[in-house]
Amino acid sequence: PLFRSRVTIRVSAAMEDELPIGAENVVNEFATYEDYLDSQITKTDLYYLEDEELARQLVELGYRGSGEVLKREEFEARKQAAEASRLSKKTQKRALAHLGKNLKSSVFWTALAEREEANRSGKMTTIIFIRDKNAKGQEISG
């Protein structure tokens, strides 16, 4: 084969959790647990029951709704975990790769170091074009 490649797939702990059907984005879709329960109540349910709180209780007990219903404690725990994850991503600052390295000997590495933070934050994009010659003297570029 001309090319060899290796693919690595990482599975986070959050992906490994068994989630009830439709529960993956519940904490992002609904502001409160009551909104989550209300999303599983139909107009027909309200017509026959004539009480929104009773309809919520039936959904919470699993008598109505689609799939397995999250309990209030589980919903709140996932909501807090999602918020903590969002805040940690926001405040997390990765160390720059060039810190602590002597780059003065190469103009190329110095230029990359100057652009590193802007590239990581998405403010800038850098395209590197490389030209080299192989053992036969042929120019190779990419």
Side-chain angles (χ1 to χ4, degrees), residues 3-70:
F3 300 100
R4 292 183 187 178
S5 64
R6 181 184 300 187
V7 176
T8 304
I9 299 174
R10 295 183 183 174
V11 179
S12 70
M15 290 177 171
E16 292 173 349
D17 291 343
E18 289 290 325
L19 295 175
I21 296 170
E24 296 87 3
N25 295 320
V26 167
V27 293
N28 297 328
E29 285 183 39
F30 305 105
T32 65
Y33 184 67
E34 285 72 21
D35 293 341
Y36 165 65
L37 294 176
D38 289 346
S39 73
Q40 299 190 31
I41 299 171
T42 65
K43 290 182 181 182
T44 308
D45 295 335
L46 290 175
Y47 176 78
Y48 286 109
L49 294 171
E50 297 179 353
D51 184 11
E52 191 173 320
E53 191 57 40
L54 178 61
R56 285 180 184 158
Q57 288 174 357
L58 289 173
V59 170
E60 192 170 7
L61 292 171
Y63 292 113
R64 187 74 181 107
S66 56
E68 189 177 332
V69 180
L70 294 174

Side-chain angles (χ1 to χ4, degrees), residues 59-83:
V59 170
E60 192 170 7
L61 292 171
Y63 292 113
R64 187 74 181 107
S66 56
E68 189 177 332
V69 180
L70 294 174
K71 299 293 178 204
R72 182 178 296 273
E73 297 80 24
E74 189 176 358
F75 179 87
E76 295 298 332
R78 288 185 188 205
K79 192 80 166 165
Q80 289 176 353
E83 183 65 19

